[in-house]
């Protein structure tokens, strides 16, 4: 398992903070760089003035995602000082808002693989900016520990300079509270969740079978449960036999072509509440550990990325673990629908009819539209327990990527849920965009042989929306949001911002923010 970096805060100025590398940010204004260093300047004015003069001659303009590294000696730092021996400047582009800071901190931390200790002197004088810098740095520092041969080890230690950190002197007073402690605690939990989601996606599919995924989920849940006093995190794994006897025809059908049988994992975080009733949110994740397309086989070029087709389940699992680790006062039931979609002698065929958990019959027209089949079962089982809201996360359609590209997720569903997800995403620094579920497209799913067919034949129009309409059949009246993250879940291009190559962990931050929102709303209603 990939470890996150150590992180602390300090109220020192850059000149006193030490470290191996000092990280500064610059934005791009009028074609040139402007350092964002207010609180870091004290005591380091000569060096920072020299840096300001030097940057343009190095061709550094402060553009988004650019970095430049300068030895402090080149800035005339002759005097006795604890200024780090190197300075790294990261560009934020024209924006210098919270999202830009998160991304810049991530970009810098990624650049610093192999470094022991970096001191981040980015603007962090309010809680939101401090959180963004801490989260960005921790998420950007990630490297996949499973790689053979090994990648350069990640940045080991991070100190974030912030005036919110109590001065060392005041720490001697016993009862002095450190306002940065809960911010760092949350950032660590979030970064750990993101790292685990990335790890799960990056693992080769021969290693991460449905049973292996279920074991990882069980172990992680038991771990998180042991640490808690303010609630319980329970985990239950349905094996293939139980799935068959209890009527999960979607999951069984998709999984039957593989020698690695399917699983359904149910996690439940129940906070200990004082009298009041906690809101109950159900989360459902698509966990296709490898999607070959089945008998409706995909072309070769589409397949390597399909080890990431369990990203939705990874996001749901890790966000639930994070909610438990933070002791959030919201009840969460999380469902991971795990199966491997392979062709084989026992595989499901186009033309077969399956019955899902709620009794709906589905004609299989395309075995590559498998995600909606496993999600149908898990959604039906989730809403049967009457949650206040249900949210599903899935790498569901190639059409999602056509519509929104590789960095923006789509959100569909009930209007108020859609709005709540967008608000959570905004605070979390993730890009989601609202999409409609147009009624006229529903006719694409009519079948002469069953209640529904799983995919239109020979018509790709609005493919993401048709998939959303299919899922809607299984949620009843429960307020519902559907997150299609086919594009942003996996990055097979160059890294950018805090996003590495491979699994991205996209969605974890939004889900955690959404759960926190629900917890806060309940507390306000009490
Ligand atoms: N897992 C894919 C969707 C996908 C494609 C995710 C590319 C990430 C990158 C999904 O199971 C799928 O194959 N969907 C089909 C549906 C179609 C057959 C109706 C698709 O999008 O082509
Ligand atoms: Mn598929
Ligand atoms: Zn799939």
């Amino acid at each position: 398992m990939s470890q996150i970096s150590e992180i602390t805060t300090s109220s020192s100025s850059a000149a006193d903070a030490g470290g191996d590398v000092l990280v500064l940010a610059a934005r791009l204004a009028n074609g040139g760089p402007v350092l964002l260093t207010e609180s870091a300047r004290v005591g380091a004015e000569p060096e920072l003035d020299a840096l300001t003069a030097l940057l343009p001659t190095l061709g550094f303009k402060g553009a988004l995602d650019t970095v430049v590294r300068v030895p402090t000696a080149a800035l005339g730092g002759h005097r006795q000082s604890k200024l780090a021996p190197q300075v790294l400047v990261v560009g934020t582009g024209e924006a210098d808002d919270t999202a830009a800071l998160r991304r810049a901190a991530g970009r810098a931390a990624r650049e610093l693989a192999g470094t022991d200790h970096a001191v981040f002197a980015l603007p962090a004088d309010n809680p939101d900016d401090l959180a963004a810098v801490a989260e960005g740095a921790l998420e950007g520092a990630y490297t996949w520990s499973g790689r053979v041969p090994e990648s350069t080890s990640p940045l080991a230690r991070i100190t974030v300079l912030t005036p919110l950190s109590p001065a060392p002197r005041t720490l001697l007073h016993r009862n002095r509270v450190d306002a940065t402690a809960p911010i760092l605690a949350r950032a660590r939990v979030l970064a750990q969740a993101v790292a685990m989601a990335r790890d799960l996606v990056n693992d080769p599919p021969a290693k991460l079978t449905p049973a292996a995924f279920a074991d990882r989920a069980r172990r992680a849940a038991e771990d998180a449960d042991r640490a808690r006093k303010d609630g319980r995190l329970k985990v239950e794994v349905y094996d293939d036999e139980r799935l068959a006897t209890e009527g999960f025809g979607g999951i069984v059908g998709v999984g039957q072509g593989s020698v690695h049988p399917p699983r359904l994992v149910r996690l439940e975080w129940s906070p200990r509440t004082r009298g009041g009733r906690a809101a109950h949110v159900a989360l459902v994740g698509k966990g296709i550990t490898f999607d070959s397309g089945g008998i409706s086989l995909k072309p070769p070029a589409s397949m390597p990325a399909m080890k990431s087709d369990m990203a939705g389940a990874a996001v749901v699992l890790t966000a639930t673990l994070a909610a438990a680790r933070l002791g959030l006062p919201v009840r969460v039931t999380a469902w991971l629908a795990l199966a491997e979609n392979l062709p084989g002698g026992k595989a499901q065929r186009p033309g077969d009819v399956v019955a899902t958990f709620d009794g709906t019959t589905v004609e299989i027209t395309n075995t590559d539209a498998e995600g909606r089949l496993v999600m149908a079962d898990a959604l039906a089982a989730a809403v049967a327990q009457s949650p206040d809201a249900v949210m599903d996360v899935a790498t569901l359609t190639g059409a999602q990527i056509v519509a929104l590209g590789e960095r923006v997720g789509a959100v569909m569903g009930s209007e108020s849920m859609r709005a709540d997800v967008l608000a959570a995403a905004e605070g979390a620094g993730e890009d989601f965009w609202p999409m409609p579920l147009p009624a006229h497209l529903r006719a694409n799913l009519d079948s002469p042989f069953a209640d529904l067919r799983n995919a239109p034949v020979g018509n790709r129009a609005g493919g993401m929306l048709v998939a959303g309409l299919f899922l809607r059949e299984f949620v009843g009246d429960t307020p519902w949001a559907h997150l299609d993250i086919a594009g942003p879940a996996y990055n097979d291009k160059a890294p950018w911002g805090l996003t590495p190559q491979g699994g991205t962990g996209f969605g974890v931050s939004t889900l955690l923010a959404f759960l926190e929102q629900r917890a806060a709303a309940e507390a306000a209603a009490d």
Side-chain angles (χ1 to χ4, degrees):
M1 242 255 299
S2 299
Q3 290 278 312
I4 63 164
S5 315
E6 283 177 37
I7 189 165
T8 56
T9 57
S10 162
S11 59
S12 337
S13 67
D16 296 324
D20 299 308
V21 180
L22 173 68
V23 180
L24 301 171
R27 69 187 172 90
L28 169 62
N30 305 318
V34 178
L35 284 176
L36 306 170
T37 51
E38 297 323 317
S39 46
R41 283 185 68 81
V42 188
E45 291 91 347
E47 289 88 350
L48 294 185
D49 287 342
L51 181 65
T52 302
L54 188 63
L55 287 177
T57 72
L58 296 170
F60 180 85
K61 295 191 170 67
L64 183 63
D65 264 9
T66 59
V67 291
V68 66
R69 230 196 263 223
V70 181
T72 308
L75 305 173
H78 300 300
R79 45 193 192 88
Q80 278 292 93
S81 99
K82 287 193 188 160
L83 205 55
Q86 287 186 34
V87 178
L88 181 136
V89 189
V90 58
T92 68
E94 280 165 23
D96 59 356
D97 55 8
T98 306
L101 288 177
R102 181 185 281 103
R103 180 168 174 170
R107 173 69 186 88
R110 179 156 59 72
E111 188 69 22
L112 291 170
T115 301
D116 176 46
H117 182 197
V119 173
F120 282 67
L122 270 50
D125 53 9
N126 63 69
D128 284 349
D129 284 355
L130 173 60
V133 171
E135 290 167 21
L138 288 174
E139 291 182 35
Y142 171 90
T143 61
W144 182 45
S145 63
R147 189 174 189 277
V148 180
E150 263 172 66
S151 28
T152 313
S153 55
L155 171 61
R157 291 189 290 145
I158 296 165
T159 300
V160 181
L161 302 187
T162 171
L164 300 175
S165 186
R169 229 171 341 103
T170 63
L171 271 181
L172 295 177
H173 298 282
R174 284 281 154 85
N175 297 323
R176 171 70 202 230
V177 283
D178 178 357
T180 74
I183 297 173
L184 289 192
R186 182 188 181 280
R188 286 188 197 101
V189 168
L190 172 62
Q192 217 164 54
V194 168
M196 184 178 180
R198 290 171 176 175
D199 282 352
L200 286 164
V201 168
N202 289 337
D203 248 344
K207 196 173 150 206
L208 194 76
T209 59
F213 195 141
D215 283 348
R216 295 261 283 267
R218 182 194 290 284
R219 262 179 285 130
E222 286 170 355
D223 244 36
D225 183 52
R226 220 166 290 129
R228 295 255 50 106
K229 292 197 177 66
D230 44 10
R232 291 273 344 247
L233 182 62
K234 286 185 288 187
V235 59
E236 188 181 359
V237 178
Y238 298 52
D239 66 10
D240 46 327
E241 265 178 51
R242 179 169 175 197
L243 289 169
T245 36
E246 294 188 15
F248 291 87
I251 298 176
V252 168
V254 170
Q256 73 194 26
S258 171
V259 298
H260 302 296
R263 294 286 185 270
L264 176 66
V265 177
R266 180 180 180 279
L267 297 130
E268 177 172 3
W269 161 245
S270 351
R272 188 165 300 153
T273 47
R274 286 163 260 102
R277 173 187 175 278
H280 176 194
V281 176
L283 304 175
V284 179
K286 172 176 173 182
I288 300 298
T289 58
F290 181 71
D291 181 12
S292 71
I295 298 295
S296 312
L297 198 63
K298 285 181 183 297
S302 303
M303 276 201 226
M306 285 303 112
K307 71 169 183 177
S308 68
D309 212 18
M310 33 52 70
V315 167
V316 162
L317 166 64
T318 59
T320 304
L321 293 169
R325 288 208 171 96
L326 293 170
L328 289 190
V330 54
R331 183 170 162 227
V332 182
T333 46
W335 302 78
L336 319 179
L338 308 172
E340 186 175 40
N341 188 23
L342 289 184
K346 290 186 179 159
Q348 133 177 301
R349 313 146 192 80
D352 280 347
V353 174
V354 301
T356 57
F357 183 73
D358 63 354
T360 305
T361 55
V362 183
E363 179 202 358
I364 310 299
T365 46
N366 190 327
T367 64
D368 197 12
E370 84 298 337
R372 61 196 74 181
L373 298 170
V374 302
M375 295 299 276
D377 274 343
L379 279 166
V383 301
Q385 301 186 340
S386 313
D388 300 306
V390 62
M391 168 155 31
D392 77 74
V393 189
T395 50
L396 203 62
T397 64
Q400 193 275 322
I401 309 172
V402 175
L404 292 174
E406 288 151 329
R407 297 184 184 183
V408 180
V411 54
M412 287 150 269
S414 326
E415 215 164 294
S416 79
M417 277 290 283
R418 219 176 48 172
D420 288 352
V421 170
L422 290 172
E426 170 87 36
E430 291 184 324
D431 282 330
F432 274 95
W433 200 255
M435 284 289 167
L437 294 171
H440 77 276
L441 290 176
R442 173 61 182 76
N444 283 294
L445 298 170
D446 290 341
S447 164
F449 305 109
D451 290 321
L452 288 171
R453 60 181 176 186
N454 78 326
V457 179
N459 175 13
R460 298 191 304 167
M464 164 173 53
L465 318 179
V466 173
L469 284 164
F470 184 92
L471 296 186
R472 186 163 76 181
E473 297 292 319
F474 300 89
V475 297
D477 297 329
T478 310
W480 162 64
H482 162 51
L483 279 54
D484 193 338
I485 58 166
Y490 190 69
N491 177 25
D492 50 14
K493 309 250 164 44
W496 57 279
L498 53 74
T499 304
Q501 273 187 311
T504 62
F506 185 90
V508 176
S509 177
T510 296
L511 260 66
L512 183 60
F514 177 86
L515 294 173
E516 287 171 332
Q517 237 178 45
R518 286 292 154 137
E522 202 65 24
D526 276 352

